[in-house]
Amino acid sequence: MLIYPKNLPGLSPEVTRRPKHSVELQAHQSGGEVRISYWSEPLWEWDISYNLLRDGFRDGVSYDELKQIEGMFLACSGTLQGFQFCDPDDSRVFRQPVGTTDGLSSAYSLVRRFGSSNPGDGYQGSEAIGFLDSTRPFNLYVDNSAIPVAVSDPVYGYTLATSAPKQQQIVFNLAPPPGHALGVDMSYLFYVRFGADSQDFDKFMHQLWGLKKVTLVSLRFGSGGSSLPPSTSQAPGRSITVTSSPLQLVNTDGYVGITNSAGTALEIELPIYPSANQVVKLSDEGGNAGTYNWTIVWNGNTVGTVTVNGGFLSLRWNGVNWYRIGAQ
């Protein structure tokens, strides 16, 4: 996967970093309000500028700073392809807690916390890292030990699973004994894309260019570009009887009429790789969603519910997230 160019000398020190959440606010006539969060983790945006990007030969030296940025944009086809990005102000953690062993699990997700470390203030957010930076040291610690665990340790020997963005894990050779705190030193990269399909490069002197703003937008797991399977025509609809949860939808689903005969609450998983502008309408044809509530999820996040007998929920994919466009 491509990596965004680092340490170009013309980079402006002024960078805008923008964490974003998705919260629906419903205000009542009484003045009260209900707030629903649809994301368990934030998305991030960065606005970066370059005062100087050199191109060609100057004073006997060949420069390709312009070509690095412009070539990266062309290689990614604008917003289509995701890539790795190092934020120098948010790229490494030390003794980062990643979990407590339970005696059964052998894989633990690599997460990073960001915020104040003062005891008791709680000003921290936690999220899965985009990619582990394998060019820098990685250390695993158990409980309060000051000595890192060797990768070949007979009890805590491990490997690192780093192929899937936002799914980086430490995988133990055997499930370690329960009740032990795990911490890591690690460097990480964000999984991002360009924020627009066009980019303005400004030439102000011979072989000297500037870039007033390039916006990068973070991505979640499953937000691939060119790796997406080909889209097929949208199905007019189907009616199904569900006997167990969860129900996995596909990227050809449109109208889905559901009769839930499982006798339990139902989880409905939206397509991992939605088709372009896909619209899904989920309808309670069995008439018991008020008794056995539906939870609709994508990429591990809840995007909606159906809790009314005979209710429905309509969702649209906009290329980044699912948005509700109708419900009862």
Side-chain angles (χ1 to χ4, degrees):
M1 181 174 289
L2 296 174
I3 302 178
Y4 189 81
K6 299 179 183 180
N7 304 320
L8 294 182
L11 176 64
S12 170
E14 298 178 357
V15 175
T16 298
R17 183 169 62 192
R18 186 180 304 112
K20 299 173 62 178
H21 280 278
S22 176
V23 177
E24 179 180 344
L25 189 152
Q26 297 178 349
H28 299 278
Q29 291 181 345
S30 64
E33 60 185 33
V34 175
R35 296 178 298 278
I36 303 171
S37 175
Y38 291 111
W39 298 351
S40 61
E41 297 181 353
L43 289 174
W44 296 80
E45 292 182 355
W46 296 261
D47 294 334
I48 304 170
S49 61
Y50 294 87
N51 298 322
L52 175 67
L53 293 170
R54 293 170 289 190
D55 181 42
F57 285 91
R58 294 182 64 85
D59 300 323
V61 179
S62 177
Y63 296 98
D64 67 349
E65 296 156 8
L66 172 68
K67 291 183 173 64
Q68 287 189 53
I69 300 294
E70 196 166 16
M72 180 85 179
F73 183 80
L74 296 173
C76 292
S77 299
T79 62
L80 179 65
Q81 183 64 47
F83 52 90
Q84 299 175 2
F85 168 67
C86 178
D87 180 345
D89 299 304
D90 185 3
S91 62
R92 185 155 180 81
V93 289
F94 299 93
R95 302 299 295 248
Q96 166 67 61
V98 295
T100 300
T101 58
D102 58 11
L104 300 173
S105 303
S106 59
Y108 293 81
S109 297
L110 296 177
V111 299
R112 77 92 170 89
R113 293 178 182 173
F114 192 86
S116 171
S117 59
N118 294 328
D121 62 21
Y123 303 146
Q124 287 189 346
S126 179
E127 64 183 279
I129 65 171
F131 286 95
L132 186 69
D133 187 348
S134 60
T135 66
R136 302 185 66 184
F138 178 93
N139 295 314
L140 168 67
Y141 302 93
V142 177
D143 295 328
N144 295 319
S145 174
I147 302 175
V149 173
V151 295
S152 59
D153 186 272
V155 178
Y156 293 99
Y158 65 91
T159 58
L160 296 170
T162 60
S163 59
K166 298 292 288 184
Q167 299 285 305
Q168 311 286 281
Q169 291 183 319
I170 181 169
V171 181
F172 292 97
N173 300 332
L174 298 170
H180 296 281
L182 304 175
V184 299
D185 300 335
M186 64 178 177
S187 295
Y188 50 88
L189 303 162
F190 284 86
Y191 179 40
V192 304
R193 61 169 172 82
F194 284 104
D197 285 324
S198 64
Q199 197 66 62
D200 296 326
F201 296 88
D202 303 310
K203 182 177 180 180
F204 58 90
M205 289 183 65
H206 178 60
Q207 296 181 334
L208 298 179
W209 298 72
L211 178 55
K212 293 179 181 178
K213 185 176 79 171
V214 56
T215 298
L216 306 180
V217 179
S218 69
L219 297 170
R220 302 200 191 282
F221 174 68
S223 302
S226 59
S227 61
L228 291 178
S231 296
T232 57
S233 58
Q234 189 86 350
R238 60 180 176 132
S239 295
I240 58 175
T241 297
V242 176
T243 58
S244 63
S245 181
L247 168 64
Q248 177 66 64
L249 303 184
V250 297
N251 71 346
T252 55
D253 276 325
Y255 173 86
V256 182
I258 299 171
T259 298
N260 180 11
S261 64
T264 62
L266 177 63
E267 179 176 296
I268 302 173
E269 299 181 355
L270 294 167
I272 297 174
Y273 299 115
S275 57
N277 300 313
Q278 183 173 1
V279 174
V280 173
K281 181 176 181 180
L282 307 171
S283 181
D284 178 25
E285 292 186 352
N288 60 357
T291 304
Y292 304 116
N293 295 166
W294 298 359
T295 301
I296 295 86
V297 301
W298 180 74
N299 196 22
N301 297 317
T302 298
V303 298
T305 59
V306 177
T307 58
V308 177
N309 290 339
F312 72 90
L313 178 66
S314 295
L315 299 160
R316 179 181 179 273
W317 173 253
N318 71 349
V320 178
N321 293 299
W322 289 93
Y323 284 87
R324 189 171 66 176
I325 57 176
Q328 176 182 320

